[in-house]
Amino acid sequence: MIASFFVKSLQNQPSLVHGTSPRFYEIEKGERESFCPPENDNSGLFREHQKLFLQSLGIEKENLFRVKQVHGNRVYVLKDSKVFADEVSHQEADAIVTHLPDCPVMILTADCVPIIIYDPVKHVVGVVHAGRVGTLKRIFSNAIETFSREYGSRPSDMVVSMGPAIGGCCYEVDEQCALPFIERSSVNSRFVRKARAGKFFIDLPEANRLEGSEAGILKENIYTDGPCTSCENHRWYSYRKEGKTGRLMTLAMLRQRK
Ligand SMILES: [Zn+2]
């Protein structure tokens, strides 16, 4: 059994499949193994776990689309169903947006915020990898803009979820890293607060929530109550807490609408 993370507002969408994988999966009762463990991103084991995850979500296909994540703000738009997944995997980007049904899109994280955006009106989905650097570069806003530009989506129609990520409770950085957030939060400082001398806590899900709100996404349509990967490290990978570690897979796929 794979105890994945789901958000109700997305589960309620009849033509959308989504989920974030955990750090362990149960192989037999009481016995478990690491899911998507360290340094296996391109190995057979990663592919095997990817397949298991797809199956657990009821997806028969083995093919899925990932990009080369670089902590930037570029959004890849998957428009051609005939493009090879391998070709897409070389694209440097930190979000994938698509209108194509039966084409799972995925990003990998361990602390960074995995964001799923769904527009039920235009039937378009996207996954976003928003870490500290990507958040500063406004990757989430870029993804929202891409929905609007490419598909005519309105932010007020979008449903958004943020999965397991390091929370403002645990994500401590030095002043240099915090400064751009402090500058940005001059009006509203809810996502950065002072810790011990020279240190600050940054709340990346909250920073992204505000960004989504400013872009016009309705408050009730943004879910940010996902678990903290550091507080709940027994369930989710945390790069901050562990150093070298595995990755959480966050996946979304559109079903053909009837
Ligand atoms: Zn925490």
Side-chain angles (χ1 to χ4, degrees), residues 8-98:
K8 207 166 191 81
S9 56
L10 293 181
Q11 277 181 313
N12 289 341
Q13 305 293 338
S15 303
L16 179 75
V17 182
H18 84 287
T20 297
S21 68
R23 71 175 299 155
F24 293 114
Y25 74 112
E26 208 172 290
I27 41 171
E28 268 177 58
K29 196 140 186 68
E31 262 187 74
R32 57 187 199 169
E33 249 173 35
S34 289
F35 204 55
C36 199
E39 291 197 338
N40 282 300
D41 276 21
N42 294 304
S43 75
L45 188 61
F46 176 72
R47 273 193 294 276
E48 191 189 307
H49 286 181
Q50 179 182 297
K51 202 169 123 185
L52 274 175
F53 188 45
L54 287 165
Q55 283 170 354
S56 79
L57 297 174
I59 300 171
E60 301 80 30
K61 295 194 171 195
E62 288 182 25
N63 212 14
L64 64 76
F65 294 91
R66 286 168 58 204
V67 282
K68 187 177 177 191
Q69 297 173 200
V70 289
H71 297 282
N73 61 7
R74 185 170 166 255
V75 180
Y76 179 81
V77 184
L78 179 64
K79 283 195 153 172
D80 177 5
S81 61
K82 291 186 181 70
V83 71
F84 289 107
D86 191 47
E87 203 177 310
V88 177
S89 71
H90 292 107
Q91 294 280 337
E92 291 193 353
D94 287 273
I96 320 175
V97 173
T98 192

Side-chain angles (χ1 to χ4, degrees), residues 165-171 227-232 241:
I166 194 160
C169 40
C170 293
Y171 189 36
C228 169
T229 45
S230 183
C231 288
E232 294 190 37
K241 191 152 191 171

